[in-house]
mmCIF file of all heavy atoms in Angstrom:
data_model
loop_
_atom_site.group_PDB
_atom_site.id
_atom_site.type_symbol
_atom_site.label_atom_id
_atom_site.label_comp_id
_atom_site.label_asym_id
_atom_site.label_seq_id
_atom_site.Cartn_x
_atom_site.Cartn_y
_atom_site.Cartn_z
ATOM 1 N N LEU A 161 -125.309 -175.617 141.930
ATOM 2 C CA LEU A 161 -126.440 -175.191 142.750
ATOM 3 C C LEU A 161 -126.118 -175.280 144.234
ATOM 4 O O LEU A 161 -126.690 -174.544 145.045
ATOM 5 C CB LEU A 161 -127.670 -176.047 142.437
ATOM 6 C CG LEU A 161 -128.183 -176.012 140.996
ATOM 7 C CD1 LEU A 161 -129.389 -176.941 140.846
ATOM 8 C CD2 LEU A 161 -128.548 -174.598 140.572
ATOM 9 N N LEU A 162 -125.173 -176.159 144.604
ATOM 10 C CA LEU A 162 -124.845 -176.379 146.018
ATOM 11 C C LEU A 162 -124.141 -175.188 146.649
ATOM 12 O O LEU A 162 -124.059 -175.087 147.871
ATOM 13 C CB LEU A 162 -123.992 -177.640 146.159
ATOM 14 C CG LEU A 162 -124.675 -178.925 145.679
ATOM 15 C CD1 LEU A 162 -123.693 -180.072 145.616
ATOM 16 C CD2 LEU A 162 -125.853 -179.277 146.581
ATOM 17 N N CYS A 163 -123.648 -174.286 145.833
ATOM 18 C CA CYS A 163 -123.095 -173.023 146.336
ATOM 19 C C CYS A 163 -123.799 -171.859 145.661
ATOM 20 O O CYS A 163 -124.511 -171.098 146.295
ATOM 21 C CB CYS A 163 -121.582 -172.962 146.117
ATOM 22 S SG CYS A 163 -120.826 -171.395 146.593
ATOM 23 N N ALA A 164 -123.617 -171.722 144.349
ATOM 24 C CA ALA A 164 -124.182 -170.575 143.631
ATOM 25 C C ALA A 164 -125.702 -170.524 143.746
ATOM 26 O O ALA A 164 -126.290 -169.456 143.966
ATOM 27 C CB ALA A 164 -123.770 -170.631 142.154
ATOM 28 N N GLY A 165 -126.359 -171.674 143.611
ATOM 29 C CA GLY A 165 -127.818 -171.694 143.650
ATOM 30 C C GLY A 165 -128.377 -171.306 144.999
ATOM 31 O O GLY A 165 -129.245 -170.436 145.108
ATOM 32 N N VAL A 166 -127.872 -171.929 146.054
ATOM 33 C CA VAL A 166 -128.415 -171.647 147.394
ATOM 34 C C VAL A 166 -127.977 -170.266 147.882
ATOM 35 O O VAL A 166 -128.676 -169.635 148.680
ATOM 36 C CB VAL A 166 -128.014 -172.751 148.394
ATOM 37 C CG1 VAL A 166 -126.541 -172.658 148.792
ATOM 38 C CG2 VAL A 166 -128.909 -172.720 149.624
ATOM 39 N N THR A 167 -126.850 -169.761 147.396
ATOM 40 C CA THR A 167 -126.405 -168.417 147.760
ATOM 41 C C THR A 167 -127.407 -167.368 147.301
ATOM 42 O O THR A 167 -127.594 -166.340 147.968
ATOM 43 C CB THR A 167 -125.011 -168.139 147.160
ATOM 44 O OG1 THR A 167 -124.066 -169.010 147.789
ATOM 45 C CG2 THR A 167 -124.574 -166.718 147.374
ATOM 46 N N ILE A 168 -128.081 -167.631 146.198
ATOM 47 C CA ILE A 168 -129.135 -166.735 145.708
ATOM 48 C C ILE A 168 -130.457 -167.006 146.420
ATOM 49 O O ILE A 168 -131.156 -166.092 146.867
ATOM 50 C CB ILE A 168 -129.320 -166.907 144.186
ATOM 51 C CG1 ILE A 168 -128.097 -166.364 143.435
ATOM 52 C CG2 ILE A 168 -130.600 -166.238 143.710
ATOM 53 C CD1 ILE A 168 -127.919 -164.868 143.503
ATOM 54 N N TYR A 169 -130.810 -168.273 146.533
ATOM 55 C CA TYR A 169 -132.114 -168.649 147.082
ATOM 56 C C TYR A 169 -132.272 -168.196 148.529
ATOM 57 O O TYR A 169 -133.337 -167.690 148.927
ATOM 58 C CB TYR A 169 -132.272 -170.162 146.973
ATOM 59 C CG TYR A 169 -133.602 -170.700 147.441
ATOM 60 C CD1 TYR A 169 -134.669 -170.817 146.552
ATOM 61 C CD2 TYR A 169 -133.789 -171.111 148.762
ATOM 62 C CE1 TYR A 169 -135.891 -171.326 146.975
ATOM 63 C CE2 TYR A 169 -135.009 -171.615 149.189
ATOM 64 C CZ TYR A 169 -136.055 -171.726 148.295
ATOM 65 O OH TYR A 169 -137.258 -172.219 148.726
ATOM 66 N N SER A 170 -131.228 -168.371 149.336
ATOM 67 C CA SER A 170 -131.323 -168.106 150.776
ATOM 68 C C SER A 170 -131.727 -166.670 151.110
ATOM 69 O O SER A 170 -132.673 -166.461 151.876
ATOM 70 C CB SER A 170 -130.003 -168.468 151.467
ATOM 71 O OG SER A 170 -130.057 -168.160 152.840
ATOM 72 N N PRO A 171 -131.067 -165.627 150.574
ATOM 73 C CA PRO A 171 -131.489 -164.272 150.935
ATOM 74 C C PRO A 171 -132.862 -163.903 150.392
ATOM 75 O O PRO A 171 -133.600 -163.156 151.037
ATOM 76 C CB PRO A 171 -130.399 -163.379 150.336
ATOM 77 C CG PRO A 171 -129.785 -164.192 149.263
ATOM 78 C CD PRO A 171 -129.850 -165.614 149.747
ATOM 79 N N LEU A 172 -133.214 -164.414 149.225
ATOM 80 C CA LEU A 172 -134.546 -164.121 148.698
ATOM 81 C C LEU A 172 -135.610 -164.680 149.635
ATOM 82 O O LEU A 172 -136.636 -164.032 149.903
ATOM 83 C CB LEU A 172 -134.703 -164.706 147.287
ATOM 84 C CG LEU A 172 -133.859 -164.041 146.199
ATOM 85 C CD1 LEU A 172 -134.041 -164.765 144.872
ATOM 86 C CD2 LEU A 172 -134.216 -162.562 146.045
ATOM 87 N N LYS A 173 -135.367 -165.862 150.171
ATOM 88 C CA LYS A 173 -136.311 -166.438 151.127
ATOM 89 C C LYS A 173 -136.288 -165.686 152.458
ATOM 90 O O LYS A 173 -137.333 -165.284 152.978
ATOM 91 C CB LYS A 173 -135.997 -167.914 151.352
ATOM 92 C CG LYS A 173 -136.946 -168.548 152.365
ATOM 93 C CD LYS A 173 -136.618 -169.995 152.674
ATOM 94 C CE LYS A 173 -137.610 -170.535 153.702
ATOM 95 N NZ LYS A 173 -137.310 -171.906 154.129
ATOM 96 N N HIS A 174 -135.084 -165.491 153.000
ATOM 97 C CA HIS A 174 -134.967 -164.892 154.333
ATOM 98 C C HIS A 174 -135.561 -163.489 154.388
ATOM 99 O O HIS A 174 -136.222 -163.121 155.376
ATOM 100 C CB HIS A 174 -133.505 -164.844 154.764
ATOM 101 C CG HIS A 174 -133.303 -164.149 156.077
ATOM 102 N ND1 HIS A 174 -133.606 -164.749 157.285
ATOM 103 C CD2 HIS A 174 -132.877 -162.891 156.375
ATOM 104 C CE1 HIS A 174 -133.362 -163.899 158.267
ATOM 105 N NE2 HIS A 174 -132.915 -162.769 157.748
ATOM 106 N N PHE A 175 -135.334 -162.688 153.363
ATOM 107 C CA PHE A 175 -135.787 -161.302 153.378
ATOM 108 C C PHE A 175 -137.188 -161.126 152.786
ATOM 109 O O PHE A 175 -137.618 -160.001 152.514
ATOM 110 C CB PHE A 175 -134.789 -160.411 152.631
ATOM 111 C CG PHE A 175 -133.464 -160.277 153.342
ATOM 112 C CD1 PHE A 175 -132.313 -160.805 152.772
ATOM 113 C CD2 PHE A 175 -133.367 -159.649 154.572
ATOM 114 C CE1 PHE A 175 -131.092 -160.698 153.427
ATOM 115 C CE2 PHE A 175 -132.158 -159.537 155.232
ATOM 116 C CZ PHE A 175 -131.008 -160.063 154.660
ATOM 117 N N GLY A 176 -137.916 -162.208 152.591
ATOM 118 C CA GLY A 176 -139.291 -162.116 152.128
ATOM 119 C C GLY A 176 -139.419 -161.614 150.707
ATOM 120 O O GLY A 176 -140.332 -160.834 150.387
ATOM 121 N N LEU A 177 -138.516 -162.076 149.842
ATOM 122 C CA LEU A 177 -138.475 -161.579 148.466
ATOM 123 C C LEU A 177 -138.791 -162.680 147.448
ATOM 124 O O LEU A 177 -138.289 -162.666 146.333
ATOM 125 C CB LEU A 177 -137.081 -160.999 148.182
ATOM 126 C CG LEU A 177 -136.658 -159.809 149.050
ATOM 127 C CD1 LEU A 177 -135.176 -159.497 148.859
ATOM 128 C CD2 LEU A 177 -137.500 -158.573 148.726
ATOM 129 N N MET A 178 -139.656 -163.609 147.833
ATOM 130 C CA MET A 178 -139.980 -164.715 146.932
ATOM 131 C C MET A 178 -141.294 -164.524 146.180
ATOM 132 O O MET A 178 -141.599 -165.286 145.268
ATOM 133 C CB MET A 178 -140.012 -166.039 147.709
ATOM 134 C CG MET A 178 -138.650 -166.477 148.198
ATOM 135 S SD MET A 178 -138.658 -168.067 149.080
ATOM 136 C CE MET A 178 -139.019 -169.216 147.759
ATOM 137 N N GLN A 179 -142.070 -163.516 146.569
ATOM 138 C CA GLN A 179 -143.363 -163.344 145.897
ATOM 139 C C GLN A 179 -143.176 -162.750 144.500
ATOM 140 O O GLN A 179 -142.236 -162.013 144.246
ATOM 141 C CB GLN A 179 -144.301 -162.452 146.727
ATOM 142 C CG GLN A 179 -143.885 -160.997 146.836
ATOM 143 C CD GLN A 179 -143.004 -160.715 148.032
ATOM 144 O OE1 GLN A 179 -142.185 -161.541 148.416
ATOM 145 N NE2 GLN A 179 -143.162 -159.536 148.613
ATOM 146 N N SER A 180 -144.074 -163.095 143.606
ATOM 147 C CA SER A 180 -143.976 -162.603 142.233
ATOM 148 C C SER A 180 -144.269 -161.103 142.191
ATOM 149 O O SER A 180 -144.884 -160.541 143.096
ATOM 150 C CB SER A 180 -144.957 -163.353 141.329
ATOM 151 O OG SER A 180 -146.293 -163.111 141.745
ATOM 152 N N GLY A 181 -143.805 -160.458 141.125
ATOM 153 C CA GLY A 181 -144.085 -159.042 140.898
ATOM 154 C C GLY A 181 -143.028 -158.088 141.409
ATOM 155 O O GLY A 181 -143.126 -156.880 141.182
ATOM 156 N N LEU A 182 -142.004 -158.599 142.104
ATOM 157 C CA LEU A 182 -140.945 -157.727 142.609
ATOM 158 C C LEU A 182 -140.007 -157.327 141.475
ATOM 159 O O LEU A 182 -139.926 -157.988 140.434
ATOM 160 C CB LEU A 182 -140.153 -158.419 143.707
ATOM 161 C CG LEU A 182 -140.907 -158.788 144.985
ATOM 162 C CD1 LEU A 182 -139.974 -159.477 145.969
ATOM 163 C CD2 LEU A 182 -141.540 -157.558 145.622
ATOM 164 N N LYS A 183 -139.288 -156.238 141.709
ATOM 165 C CA LYS A 183 -138.299 -155.776 140.736
ATOM 166 C C LYS A 183 -136.924 -155.869 141.384
ATOM 167 O O LYS A 183 -136.674 -155.268 142.427
ATOM 168 C CB LYS A 183 -138.588 -154.335 140.308
ATOM 169 C CG LYS A 183 -137.702 -153.843 139.156
ATOM 170 C CD LYS A 183 -138.160 -152.495 138.658
ATOM 171 C CE LYS A 183 -137.296 -152.040 137.475
ATOM 172 N NZ LYS A 183 -137.706 -150.717 136.959
ATOM 173 N N GLY A 184 -136.053 -156.667 140.775
ATOM 174 C CA GLY A 184 -134.727 -156.889 141.347
ATOM 175 C C GLY A 184 -133.640 -156.677 140.327
ATOM 176 O O GLY A 184 -133.867 -156.726 139.116
#
Side-chain angles (χ1 to χ4, degrees):
L161 300 179
L162 299 170
C163 176
V166 74
T167 294
I168 291 292
Y169 183 90
S170 177
L172 292 177
K173 179 183 179 184
H174 176 76
F175 292 114
L177 298 169
M178 291 182 69
Q179 68 269 35
S180 63
L182 297 180
K183 187 172 182 180

